[in-house]
Amino acid sequence: MSDSRGSSRGSSDRSSRSKKPTSGGARRAAGVRRAASGSSPSPAAPPAKGTSRTGRSSAATPAAASARSSAKPSAAQGGKGAGRTGAAATNFLNYPRAGAKNPWRWIPSLRMIAGAMALMVLAGLGFAVWLYNDTEVPEPSDFALAQTSRVYYADGETEMGQFSEINRTELPADEIPENIKTAVVASEDSSFYENRGISPRGIVRALVNNVQGGARQGGSTITQQYVERYHTGTVTSIPGKMREMVMALKADQELSKDEILSRYLNTIYFGRGAYGVQEAAQAYFGKDAVDLTDAEAALLVAVIPGPSVYDPANDPEKAAQLWDRVVSRQVNDGKMTAAEADALQFPETIAPRSENSLGGTKGYLLSQVRNELVAEGFTEDEINTGGFTITSTIEPMIQEHTVAAVDSLPEDRPENNRVGTVTIDPATGAIRAMYGGPDYVAQAQNDATQSRMQAGSIFKTFTLIAALEDGYPLDSRWDGNSPKTFRGGWTVNNFNDIDYGRVSLQKATTSSVNTAYAEANIEIGPQRTMDTAIALGLPEDTPGLGADASNVLGSASPTVTEMGEAYATIAGGGVHRDSYIVESVTRPDGSSRYAADPAETQAMAEEVAINATVALQGPPSEGSARSLRETMDGRPVAGKTGTSEKTRSAWFVGFTPQLVTAVGMFQPSADGSTEEPLTPFGGEDFITGSTFPTDIWGDIMSASLEGQEMLDFPEEVELDNETRERSTPSPQPAPEPEPTQEPEPEPTEEPSEEPTEEPSEEPSEEPTEEPSEQPAPEPTEEPAPEPEDTPGDRENIRPTEGAPAEEQGGGDNEEDAAAPSPSAVPGREDENSA
């Protein structure tokens, strides 16, 4: 072996480089060069050593084989074979692996992987033992420490109120009736008496859900639900869920099944502010838990998955469905016979008690806050006991002015007269004030967000915007004579059948000319008006919202908040923002649980919004709401009054550059099923949009904006798509030369408010572009009386859904849409004569 090695090292025959070696010699020489630095073996020399590479690559001679078998190279001797089989590890872990070729030297060996896994298992076991010993099973009394969530105004300091106090009465295990124990096991955890307290599948589902940011989920076993309630709203991390799992395991080890079940039934939330079966029995049936029938026990269990949502008072159909499910599961588990189940009847519940903390006008705000949080994924239980600090968007000063404005209405206001208002910041969508009613406890329906009223002429704004988008500028001309019959026989009248001649779109907006807007709606297409209303914020399923020609006159019935949000889109430069009332939610430890992030959509071009605002400045400055010029002390205002057919509702929706406020007034029947004509009060002969809705708006906005900068609206701009000429000729109306003399005497409610400039500046004949000083026979101080025996909106004589033939405009079919128009109806709402 030494001769071979010496020969390899000592060979200095330079001439061997010029000789052509055999292939086997070349491979051996290559192997030697890698083993010994700087030496070039002679082809004739014996192999340096018996490396495995050399042995595989050449036709080994018996001598070479003998040399390989006898050779025992050391690491110091070098060579490829020594590197692979004899290199010593340079560290304890042998990483990187000694002697291995890249990239294999960086791949851990199986021994290293196995060792690492063993260490992880040992560490995990140690952590589990520590966690088990460090975790305490909560006592039922510990749940009484759950914190009440508090709601604050936008300043973050003034408290608005707090959510329900914890009503809980703990019963000993032997006093909880067996029928509710049986029902809850059958419904919530049929393997309760066999499992060890946890459900691995439920745990994995909850962990994955929380990691993905989904709605909080609890465990599927009763034991898990019990311990999970201890951390309700405070634990969302994986370590926290692991502690809950250990807590469930420990509870199952330390407590009997009956004790776990009793604790669960003493702490679970049943809705109606009731925690535990005793309070639930009182809240739903007015009796003690021990007196519950089998049917009543099944109903209490049925509402557990969704307290309040599945309350029979809120959703009787769903409650009955879940009740039947609980009963059926008891039959399947053999706890009840089929005959016994068939004999059960769905139980009657008592009416829910309203919380005293929700009394007064603030109750509507707190209820709206709760509803919004639920829509954002919060649970009722979490809201009530999470100890959250909830900051709303409500400005206390604006809210105070809003309540004062409604409270200042005349004392002879009818008891069933209802008002809803909302004030929105158009730059953000934040609700700054809201009036939903006088007392939430006495009347839980929010008149700002839930009550619906026919829109009347405030709906013309959507036709205005659609026309601007379709290329018709503010000075485009439209036929404003009255009456006017359109194709299909649909006849439209202006107030007092005033003939305005051909009027601009801007003038038609200021005076709310029904015939001009009806013609515009037919030309652009009623579908465009409907689509525009939806784009600006009205829900697609708004009652009465359709694509019939009469939609321009306001047959749809939105809520006050929906209309306020739509007009806020105009005030916000064409950007639609969802309105919201919750700014942020903070956990007790100071971490953020929720922050508002409303969606924004460019509903129309900013230039269109600017020109629409220019047109909407007409009604508050020259038209039916011109009383605001004095109330607002000259501050620029844009908006529109509206009164539905037969004065079933009255509106004013308007805005300044800073705020948008919508006001709606209506009068429901005694049973609440229909809307009645508004009963006159406060010295008004008829209640229209230009009366108390405009007054309320002015009182809210003038006080709320006091001290703020008086900002101007942008001036009219020329749109790129404008076409100065109408694309089609206007149909020729049958003008009435003396429209103001036509009506039979019927007193109007606001002679002093009747504008002089409208009738006088628009002649009854077909005028020039803007006839200015030519008077019409229409009296300026005393508008002509109305022949119709039922008061209606001067600006808006239009159909309701399925309107009868004598009402103007149609309903959902062509025959109704072609129905003849009634005579105009008087009122201080003088948009057709202002």
Side-chain angles (χ1 to χ4, degrees), residues 360-516:
T361 58
K362 291 191 298 184
Y364 299 97
L365 303 178
L366 293 170
S367 177
Q368 185 66 16
V369 167
R370 178 189 291 274
N371 292 340
E372 190 167 295
L373 290 177
V374 170
E376 293 293 340
F378 287 75
T379 65
E380 292 276 355
D381 197 10
E382 185 181 9
I383 295 170
N384 289 341
T385 66
F388 296 127
T389 296
I390 303 169
T391 303
S392 73
T393 61
I394 301 296
E395 291 286 352
M397 180 265 294
I398 301 179
Q399 181 65 24
E400 181 180 342
H401 295 322
T402 297
V403 175
V406 179
D407 288 347
S408 65
L409 290 172
E411 294 182 358
D412 63 339
R413 175 189 172 202
E415 289 187 6
N416 60 340
N417 179 281
R418 305 264 284 270
V419 173
T421 79
V422 67
T423 298
I424 299 173
D425 181 352
T428 62
I431 297 174
R432 297 306 184 190
M434 176 185 290
Y435 185 91
D439 184 6
Y440 182 85
V441 173
Q443 173 206 305
Q445 178 164 307
N446 189 326
D447 289 331
T449 62
Q450 295 175 309
S451 298
R452 295 190 173 275
M453 300 160 250
Q454 286 191 332
S457 284
I458 59 174
F459 214 84
K460 289 175 181 172
T461 299
F462 302 127
T463 302
L464 165 67
I465 292 170
L468 291 172
E469 290 181 328
D470 286 1
Y472 298 105
L474 292 179
D475 60 0
S476 60
R477 313 298 292 181
W478 306 88
D479 188 355
N481 289 318
S482 175
K484 185 176 179 63
T485 300
F486 297 92
R487 182 178 303 174
W490 181 42
T491 301
V492 180
N493 295 71
N494 294 332
F495 167 68
N496 275 345
D497 273 338
I498 298 174
D499 282 337
Y500 290 94
R502 292 182 65 77
V503 296
S504 67
L505 187 59
Q506 184 169 355
K507 176 60 181 176
T509 304
T510 298
S511 301
S512 197
V513 182
N514 289 341
T515 54

Side-chain angles (χ1 to χ4, degrees), residues 461-476 505 524 528 604 607-613 615 716-717 719 721-723:
T461 299
F462 302 127
T463 302
L464 165 67
I465 292 170
L468 291 172
E469 290 181 328
D470 286 1
Y472 298 105
L474 292 179
D475 60 0
S476 60
L505 187 59
I524 65 174
R528 289 284 293 113
M604 59 180 158
E607 293 77 12
V608 172
I610 289 174
N611 285 3
T613 301
E716 180 182 356
V717 298
L719 303 179
N721 65 341
E722 284 185 0
T723 55

Side-chain angles (χ1 to χ4, degrees), residues 170-251:
E170 186 176 341
L171 293 179
D174 58 357
E175 292 185 18
I176 298 178
E178 288 298 323
N179 56 4
I180 196 166
K181 291 182 180 180
T182 301
V184 78
V185 169
S187 176
E188 296 296 306
D189 183 8
S190 59
S191 66
F192 171 69
Y193 289 104
E194 290 78 33
N195 63 50
R196 306 306 300 172
I198 65 171
S199 168
R201 182 170 56 182
I203 292 170
V204 171
R205 182 181 65 247
L207 288 175
V208 171
N209 181 79
N210 285 314
V211 168
Q212 294 177 343
R216 183 177 53 83
Q217 292 182 353
S220 59
T221 71
I222 286 177
T223 309
Q224 283 179 264
Q225 290 183 51
Y226 169 68
V227 300
E228 193 259 356
R229 278 212 11 74
Y230 181 69
H231 293 293
T232 292
T234 62
V235 172
T236 57
S237 64
I238 292 179
K241 289 299 177 183
M242 291 178 63
R243 182 176 289 275
E244 284 183 358
M245 178 184 68
V246 173
M247 189 180 289
L249 287 168
K250 196 168 185 179

Side-chain angles (χ1 to χ4, degrees), residues 821-834:
S821 165
S823 298
V825 183
R828 194 172 84 175
E829 176 83 60
D830 43 66
E831 299 183 6
N832 282 340
S833 56

Side-chain angles (χ1 to χ4, degrees), residues 722-747:
E722 284 185 0
T723 55
R724 291 292 174 179
E725 296 296 330
R726 299 267 320 286
S727 60
T728 59
S730 61
Q732 293 300 316
E736 293 288 340
E738 297 287 339
T740 58
Q741 303 301 322
E742 175 183 321
E744 295 295 330
E746 178 170 345

